[in-house]
Amino acid sequence: MLIFKKIYDLQHYLSIARKKGQMVGFAPTMGALHAGHIQLILEAKKQCQVVVASIFVNPTQFNDPKDLEKYPRTPGKDLEMLLAAGCDAVFMPEVSEMYPPGKDLTLHLDFGPMDQVMEGEFRPGHFNGMATVVKRLLDIVQPHHLYMGQKDYQQLTIVRRMLYLLGAPIALEMVATMREPDGLAMSSRNMRLTPDMRAAAPVIYQVLSGVVERLQGGGATVTELEQSAMQALAEAGLRPEYVDVVDAYTLAPVAEWRPDTAAVVCAAAWAGEVRLIDNVVV
Ligand code: AMP
């Protein structure tokens, strides 16, 4: 496995692979890797001859400086895990390599309401920063396939829209959420949970699964289900920010669910000092 810190060196390596006709798969991450991230690599290996991961804690997508400061960093373990998974190349740039001083790389795309709802409402500027870094990484790596997790459903939907708006010839592959045995979605942030909050956190997945079941069962309105889910999260000791049933493609609120509605139930909740998100596709 090769480790690159400089764009030029990574691009030189990839240009040779492309000349050989090899397919390039790419999984961007912020490090502190777990089995969910590794699943992206394993899926990429099924389709691509060259698999590239990036580890870059992107400062522009953190609206809260404390969150950026506290974001876990475990580079040694990350590299061991990527090597064991059969990753071919890792891109670990410095901030100055990604954002050269004096050069404004901010992406200006209109995502409509898609980046204003849910995470967009509670983390202003987050998706603009995320789209900017993903665009920058895609320009550098120029992959054939891009691998992202369902765990960050809104992020994936916005990236899908971005690829469409840019006319980028990249196939976006969604990888299902990897969970702990008790249902908690794997996340780099989980390692910051206190024992009490770790014990409470699986309720998020239980509550979201319950909403899906009750939607499909009929009898309750979407609003009633969202409200009772918020209440259940609060009763379990979490501080929920939202539970929203949204259209799976546009992320518009679903007012009334019908069996042919492609929807996703998304939630964000604080477990002590740690903000967790999860979703279940209906
Ligand atoms: P992050 O390092 O949190 O920015 O995540 C990097 C990528 O890994 C994103 O595409 C995430 O959606 C994906 N990912 C994170 N957690 C999981 C998980 N539990 N299962 C599957 N993919 C995940």
Side-chain angles (χ1 to χ4, degrees):
M1 186 173 78
L2 296 167
I3 300 166
F4 296 98
K5 289 199 157 279
K6 297 289 175 195
I7 295 169
Y8 177 86
D9 296 334
L10 174 67
Q11 287 191 325
H12 179 66
Y13 162 77
L14 290 173
S15 69
I16 296 168
R18 261 187 232 102
K19 269 192 206 125
K20 289 190 216 153
Q22 294 180 319
M23 294 282 256
V24 177
F26 177 46
T29 82
M30 297 206 297
L33 302 185
H34 49 67
H37 296 112
I38 294 307
Q39 200 56 34
L40 305 181
I41 305 298
L42 299 178
E43 290 299 325
K45 282 185 70 71
K46 288 186 195 162
Q47 287 174 303
C48 303
Q49 288 81 49
V50 177
V51 175
V52 183
S54 63
I55 299 178
F56 180 63
V57 183
N58 174 37
T60 70
Q61 73 188 66
F62 285 83
N63 50 315
D64 176 358
K66 266 193 276 162
D67 193 24
L68 171 63
E69 194 188 309
K70 285 191 196 151
Y71 200 83
R73 288 167 172 86
T74 57
K77 183 172 161 243
D78 293 350
L79 291 175
E80 272 173 32
M81 289 172 76
L82 290 170
L83 177 68
C87 184
D88 298 292
V90 187
F91 182 45
M92 300 174 81
E94 296 291 337
V95 173
S96 57
E97 183 76 0
M98 288 296 283
Y99 303 116
K103 200 167 167 179
D104 185 10
L105 293 162
T106 314
L107 190 67
H108 299 283
L109 285 179
D110 184 4
F111 295 111
M114 213 176 242
D115 67 348
Q116 305 298 316
V117 295
M118 301 191 291
E119 292 300 285
E121 191 185 335
F122 289 92
R123 301 183 69 191
H126 166 67
F127 285 123
N128 207 49
M130 180 282 294
T132 296
V133 78
V134 172
K135 167 77 166 65
R136 175 100 175 107
L137 288 166
L138 293 177
D139 286 346
I140 294 166
V141 179
Q142 296 173 35
H144 298 96
H145 293 262
L146 170 65
Y147 296 84
M148 300 188 82
Q150 181 199 326
K151 159 82 177 9
D152 299 275
Y153 193 90
Q154 190 172 8
Q155 165 174 289
L156 184 137
T157 306
I158 291 170
V159 169
R160 187 192 289 132
R161 179 86 186 140
M162 177 179 88
L163 295 176
Y164 173 77
L165 292 173
L166 297 171
I170 298 170
L172 177 59
E173 315 289 349
M174 180 168 91
V175 177
T177 304
M178 289 282 284
R179 299 181 179 281
E180 300 292 350
D182 59 13
L184 175 64
M186 290 184 180
S187 164
S188 308
R189 293 167 195 269
N190 291 352
M191 63 175 86
R192 291 181 42 224
L193 292 168
T194 62
D196 278 0
M197 285 299 141
R198 175 63 190 82
V203 74
I204 301 174
Y205 181 56
Q206 291 158 16
V207 164
L208 294 182
S209 304
V211 171
V212 172
E213 256 174 54
R214 291 178 62 196
L215 266 180
Q216 288 169 335
T221 68
V222 169
T223 310
E224 283 164 359
L225 291 177
E226 289 170 345
Q227 282 170 356
S228 74
M230 291 283 283
Q231 202 177 331
L233 292 176
E235 278 165 12
L238 306 185
R239 299 192 313 281
E241 282 186 340
Y242 63 84
V243 177
D244 285 352
V245 180
V246 297
D247 182 277
Y249 300 104
T250 64
L251 305 181
V254 169
E256 200 183 328
W257 188 81
R258 292 193 193 87
D260 61 352
T261 314
V264 190
V265 190
C266 301
W270 288 88
E273 295 304 303
V274 184
R275 188 172 182 279
L276 300 175
I277 60 169
D278 200 353
N279 65 81
V280 178
V281 173
V282 186

